[in-house]
Amino acid sequence: MSNGASSVNVGDVVVTIVTFGFIAFIIIFLVLIYRAYKKNVKRAEEKLSVEKQQTFNLQKQVDDLNERVGKIENLLKEVD
């Protein structure tokens, strides 16, 4: 008869599986959080880029309007 050194204790196997499962769950959870974070950072950078382009276009329109107003003011001064 064996003294128990070579037999497998079912309780130990279950605890080991649960422990590894818990560790795997934590790792998967952290990976998902990291992916979500990276996706949000990328989305924020894209949004910032679009907003910069819109700001540039609006500034260009304002500059064009200021130029037109200046020309109109000069024409009005010449008429007076």
Side-chain angles (χ1 to χ4, degrees):
M1 187 145 174
S2 175
N3 63 2
S6 64
S7 68
V8 177
N9 188 348
V10 176
D12 290 342
V13 172
V14 170
V15 169
T16 303
I17 291 172
V18 169
T19 303
F20 285 144
F22 184 70
I23 292 171
F25 175 77
I26 291 174
I27 291 171
I28 291 170
F29 183 71
L30 291 175
V31 167
L32 292 175
I33 288 175
Y34 179 73
R35 284 184 180 176
Y37 171 76
K38 292 299 268 185
K39 190 182 291 185
N40 285 338
V41 167
K42 185 178 178 183
R43 191 177 303 140
E45 288 174 353
E46 289 172 355
K47 185 177 179 181
L48 180 62
S49 175
V50 167
E51 288 177 355
K52 282 182 180 181
Q53 186 63 37
Q54 288 176 344
T55 302
F56 176 76
N57 290 339
L58 288 173
Q59 185 62 46
K60 187 175 179 182
Q61 290 176 352
V62 168
D63 292 342
D64 291 343
L65 289 174
N66 283 336
E67 185 179 329
R68 289 180 183 178
V69 168
K71 288 178 181 180
I72 292 171
E73 287 175 347
N74 288 338
L75 287 174
L76 290 175
K77 286 179 185 178
E78 289 177 7
V79 171
D80 286 341

